Amino acid sequence: MRVRAVIDRWADGAVALALAGWTQFDLWKHPPATMHTVGGRGVLSVLLVLVTLPLAVRRRTPAATLLTAAGALVVGAFLVSHSNGVPVGVFLAMLLAFYSVGAHCDDRRSPLVGAVAVAAIAAADLARPGTFSASGTRPSAWLAFAIAWLVGRDLRRRRQRVAELEDRAERLEREREEQAQLAVAEERGRIARELHDVIAHGVSVIVVQAQAGPHLVDDPQRVIGVFRAIESSGRDALVELRRLLGILRSEDEQLAIGPQPGLGSLQSLVEQMRASGLPVQLRIEGEPVHLPAGIDLSAYRIVQEALTNVVKHAGDASAEVVIRYGARALELDVVDDGRGRTPSRNGSGHGLIGMRERVALYDGTLETGTRDGGGYAVRARLPFGDTT
């Protein structure tokens, strides 16, 4: 990058100095024997400087560079007689000046400046044959200047197209990131509302049990059971309340009060999927234990989202759901044998975003990806500690 910056900064100046030195050397050391100038070689030397040195600023002021060089060349055509043609260095300088107008001048002025310069040079060449050749006018030189302008014009359009594509790619990337952030925020809001419902339900249970307490004072065993139930519900509510406080949520949405689904509702979900045309096998491993309400809800939602993705994206497929109860964690496996693949099944869809948010809420892990031999797998682990 430093080399490129140095080149961009100093290359034009170096080229201008090189062409100026070349033309001055040809003029003073090897002047053509048939060349005659009005005012001597000093006047022509100044004109050659005006043709070549402005190239040092050809990118910043392309129009002024070309018009200055073309004007000096036209004036030179009337001061030089019996020339063997324009020096090679001058010809190259003019080609570069025309190219610069095409490549760096704005689209509105570029054609006008190029046409004026070519017309002036052609008019001078026609008025004083021999400007570009000792044998007379040389339309091929005018054509070469026009081609240099067209090449610059084409490269300018290509650079603009590349810049537009890069800008579009950056804009799409920003939009994708914004959509991903919005999806995360929406999913967190949804989780927060569900946890709100879980807490509200737990507190409602505590209130009902507490109201029943005075009527059971004559039955110590039932009173003990009520207090234990209140303690358990209270602890669960406090845990979920702490999680709720860490999640962004919308304050202005209506929140429903009532219990949320859990793994106890999983059989009903499987039946719904079967009715929709997806063959689903449900297998439960290990001894089921009482789960915290939030984990129970999250496990249900993960399985629900995974099966929904199978229906949407896997095509003609069957699925298997495995619920594995461990001593300190719940493991969920949802696998299918489908062939369909879309971005939402490969990591960027809202469904997988929701799964990740739910798993992260409980410090769990989530693995998703294609299976060897075909199909897709979703594997989640939700730690819940000791439930005794």
Side-chain angles (χ1 to χ4, degrees):
M1 295 299 292
R2 291 182 179 180
V3 174
R4 178 63 180 273
V6 170
I7 293 176
D8 289 342
R9 182 173 182 180
W10 301 107
D12 290 342
V15 170
L17 287 175
L19 290 174
W22 183 5
T23 56
Q24 293 296 323
F25 180 81
D26 286 344
L27 175 64
W28 293 100
K29 294 297 184 181
H30 305 286
T34 59
M35 184 180 70
H36 301 282
T37 61
V38 177
R41 283 184 288 176
V43 175
L44 184 57
S45 176
V46 173
L47 294 176
L48 291 177
V49 169
L50 292 176
V51 172
T52 55
L53 281 187
L55 293 174
V57 292
R58 67 180 184 87
R59 303 190 197 204
R60 295 194 296 271
T61 58
T65 297
L66 176 59
L67 293 177
T68 300
L73 191 63
V74 169
V75 172
F78 291 94
L79 296 180
V80 180
S81 60
H82 303 292
S83 173
N84 287 327
V86 68
V88 176
V90 173
F91 185 74
L92 294 178
M94 294 304 301
L95 286 177
L96 185 56
F98 274 98
Y99 164 83
S100 300
V101 167
H104 303 292
C105 198
D106 62 79
D107 293 340
R108 183 176 60 86
R109 290 192 303 164
S110 178
L112 178 61
V113 173
V116 168
V118 168
I121 292 172
D125 195 21
L126 291 171
R128 294 293 302 270
T131 301
F132 294 99
S133 173
S135 60
T137 59
R138 183 66 66 86
S140 60
W142 317 338
L143 179 61
F145 295 154
I147 291 175
W149 178 84
L150 289 172
V151 170
R153 179 84 164 181
D154 183 66
L155 290 178
R156 174 182 173 82
R157 289 179 175 175
R158 289 176 182 270
R159 285 197 301 266
Q160 289 177 335
R161 179 60 176 168
V162 170
E164 290 174 359
L165 292 176
E166 291 177 349
D167 180 69
R168 181 182 179 186
E170 292 177 0
R171 186 170 63 254
L172 291 175
E173 180 64 19
R174 287 195 301 268
E175 291 176 356
R176 188 191 68 81
E177 293 177 357
E178 290 172 358
Q179 290 175 356
Q181 293 174 358
L182 179 61
V184 170
E186 291 176 349
E187 189 61 32
R188 288 180 177 178
R190 176 186 174 191
I191 296 172
R193 292 190 295 273
E194 291 179 347
L195 290 182
H196 173 278
D197 297 344
V198 169
I199 295 170
H201 177 67
V203 173
S204 298
V205 171
I206 292 174
V207 172
V208 171
Q209 292 170 333
Q211 289 175 339
H215 302 287
L216 302 176
V217 293
D218 296 331
D219 190 343
Q221 293 300 321
R222 293 184 64 186
V223 169
I224 292 174
V226 167
F227 277 112
R228 286 178 175 173
I230 290 175
E231 178 186 9
S232 176
S233 298
R235 288 182 183 276
D236 289 346
L238 285 175
V239 170
E240 301 306 334
L241 180 60
R242 293 191 188 99
R243 300 186 191 280
L244 177 61
L245 294 176
I247 300 177
L248 298 177
R249 58 185 293 268
S250 300
E251 297 292 344
D252 57 350
E253 296 189 22
Q254 183 66 34
L255 299 176
I257 303 298
Q260 294 287 343
L263 293 181
S265 306
L266 202 57
Q267 186 61 47
S268 175
L269 174 64
V270 169
E271 294 299 332
Q272 292 176 13
M273 292 297 170
R274 289 171 179 168
S276 68
L278 175 66
V280 181
Q281 296 295 324
L282 174 63
R283 189 169 79 250
I284 298 177
E285 299 179 358
E287 186 66 25
V289 298
H290 172 73
L291 297 172
I295 291 181
D296 196 26
L297 170 61
S298 292
Y300 176 88
R301 293 299 189 200
I302 291 172
V303 174
Q304 181 185 43
E305 191 61 52
L307 290 177
T308 300
N309 278 348
V310 175
V311 172
K312 289 181 177 179
H313 308 301
D316 186 12
S318 61
E320 181 183 28
V321 179
V322 178
I323 309 298
R324 190 175 299 108
Y325 290 91
R328 294 183 175 274
L330 176 70
E331 296 180 359
L332 311 171
D333 289 353
V334 181
V335 298
D336 67 74
D337 56 4
R339 302 293 178 181
R341 290 292 174 266
T342 69
S344 61
R345 279 169 64 84
N346 290 334
S348 60
H350 290 194
L352 291 183
I353 290 176
M355 293 182 200
R356 291 194 184 96
E357 289 297 317
R358 292 182 184 279
V359 169
L361 184 63
Y362 296 97
D363 296 325
T365 58
L366 177 70
E367 297 179 3
T368 61
T370 56
R371 303 169 58 201
D372 293 339
Y376 199 82
V378 175
R379 294 185 172 89
R381 184 178 185 275
L382 298 171
F384 54 73
D386 192 353
T387 61
T388 59

